[in-house]
Amino acid sequence: MGCDGGTIPKRHELVKGPKKVEKIDKNAELVARWYYCTLSQEKLKRPIVTCELGRLYNKDAVIEFLLDKSPDKPHADSAAHIKSIKNVIELNLTDNPAWKGDKGNTKGDTYDEQRAQFICPVVGLEVNGKHRFCVLRNCGCVFSERALKEIKTDICHKCGASFKDDDVILLNGDKDEIEKLRKKMEDRRLKAKVEKKSKKTKPAESIAANDHTQEVAAGPSGITNESKTNARDKISFVSSTESSEPKSSENAVLSSSSAAKRPLPSVDRKSEAYKSIFTSHSSAKRTKDQSSNWVTHTAYYF
């Protein structure tokens, strides 16, 4: 049985088998991981940060992700573990002197090997995905895994800060390595919560213990030993001062009493012209016939 034109179809043209699994291009995957932000899918540019799982982000994209509280966030699954800006680490990267930027070969007529923008400051390997790189959680300096293995030390090669093995985070690791980093992250956060709760409970316990000790020292009468000693000290001080300087205190009392009883000098600075204004003055005294009805005798001088 043939088709139009006398052609005979084959079996694979008539019977459709299972679809072939699409293979991901490894080079494209490396470029997407090491050159583009995990959240915004834009090119990585400084400031660049990483989470505790080793994924790379632009800091602006992380801030926008934290501020945007809408449920339909793009690529929200890749950053669901980031709850605040404290959960990311800003990378201290070393520039590559051989990197010419994005405008190296604009025409495309020559072969130009793709250069990475950053390198390892110890070995000189480029951060292009072909080599494994790590970041120190304390200072954010980025080194190749080869440099950390060859030069074993607990001090950062770039800034001199001390670090431990748990502070080393592998960038863009595989699934098994990401799961290990996730377990470390959960343990670290749980430990921080426990320490925070213990710090809050310690002041409350110390205050309660101080109140209890004061109640025990007060006894049934409610007066503490400290108040008793203070009262005794005050009584002894008053008795000693009274016995040592009785005359001086009496003289001071007499002088103060005499000063209080001393009359003030009476100085009358008011002139007769000023006094004559008021109706209480002798010149203003008139009989009822001489005074008019509208005059009121309410003003007085003192």
Side-chain angles (χ1 to χ4, degrees), residues 9-286:
K10 296 181 180 179
R11 184 178 184 280
H12 71 273
E13 295 176 355
L14 298 176
V15 179
K16 293 182 179 181
K19 292 184 179 180
K20 293 182 180 180
V21 179
E22 295 182 359
K23 294 182 179 180
I24 300 173
D25 188 5
K26 291 184 178 180
N27 293 329
E29 187 180 4
L30 290 176
V31 169
R33 282 187 177 183
W34 291 92
Y35 290 92
Y36 291 88
C37 174
T38 308
L39 268 175
S40 61
Q41 301 300 319
E42 296 178 356
K43 276 195 174 183
L44 290 172
K45 57 182 180 180
R46 285 178 170 169
I48 302 172
V49 297
T50 181
C51 62
E52 294 176 286
L53 302 182
R55 295 167 182 165
L56 300 178
Y57 310 89
N58 286 327
K59 192 173 183 179
D60 299 339
V62 174
I63 294 173
E64 291 177 2
F65 172 78
L66 294 173
L67 294 176
D68 185 12
K69 297 182 179 180
S70 58
D72 51 345
K73 296 179 183 178
H75 308 284
D77 297 337
S78 61
H81 57 284
I82 301 176
K83 304 299 181 183
S84 67
I85 197 66
K86 295 180 180 180
N87 299 140
V88 295
I89 306 159
E90 187 170 349
L91 300 182
N92 185 10
L93 296 162
T94 305
D95 293 328
N96 185 7
W99 186 66
K100 298 180 182 179
D102 296 334
K103 298 180 181 179
N105 184 16
T106 55
K107 295 182 179 179
D109 54 352
T110 59
Y111 175 74
D112 186 13
E113 185 180 357
Q114 188 176 10
R115 295 286 184 180
Q117 186 178 357
F118 309 107
I119 60 171
C120 173
V122 179
V123 185
L125 297 176
E126 294 184 354
V127 187
N128 53 10
K130 296 179 181 179
H131 310 282
R132 293 162 65 89
F133 276 79
C134 302
V135 60
L136 304 182
R137 198 165 58 88
N138 295 338
C139 58
C141 296
V142 179
F143 301 96
S144 62
E145 191 179 30
R146 185 188 301 178
L148 294 176
K149 286 182 178 180
E150 290 180 356
I151 307 173
K152 294 183 179 180
T153 180
D154 56 351
I155 298 174
C156 178
H157 303 297
K158 190 172 183 180
C159 64
S162 60
F163 66 93
K164 299 179 182 178
D165 294 337
D166 294 338
D167 297 331
V168 179
I169 298 175
L170 183 66
L171 297 177
N172 289 328
D174 54 12
K175 292 183 179 180
D176 296 335
E177 291 167 345
I178 289 174
E179 289 299 324
K180 291 179 181 179
L181 292 174
R182 190 183 295 276
K183 289 181 181 179
K184 288 183 179 180
M185 177 188 69
E186 293 174 354
D187 295 340
R188 198 182 298 116
R189 291 183 181 181
L190 182 61
K191 185 178 179 181
K193 285 183 181 179
V194 172
E195 290 179 355
K196 190 175 181 180
K197 287 182 180 179
S198 62
K199 287 180 181 179
K200 287 183 179 179
T201 53
K202 279 182 180 179
E205 290 176 357
S206 61
I207 292 169
N210 292 332
D211 296 339
H212 181 67
T213 53
Q214 288 179 2
E215 290 177 359
V216 171
S221 60
I223 301 172
T224 59
N225 295 327
E226 294 180 357
S227 60
K228 289 180 181 179
T229 54
N230 293 331
R232 289 174 185 172
D233 294 339
K234 288 180 181 178
I235 293 168
S236 62
F237 177 74
V238 171
S239 61
S240 62
T241 52
E242 289 179 355
S243 61
S244 62
E245 298 179 356
K247 294 182 180 179
S248 61
S249 62
E250 290 177 359
N251 294 332
V253 172
L254 291 173
S255 62
S256 62
S257 62
S258 62
K261 293 179 181 179
R262 184 180 297 172
L264 295 173
S266 59
V267 179
D268 194 1
R269 297 180 181 178
K270 298 175 183 178
S271 63
E272 290 295 329
Y274 176 76
K275 293 178 181 180
S276 64
I277 298 173
F278 301 95
T279 57
S280 60
H281 194 258
S282 59
S283 62
K285 291 181 180 180
R286 300 175 183 178

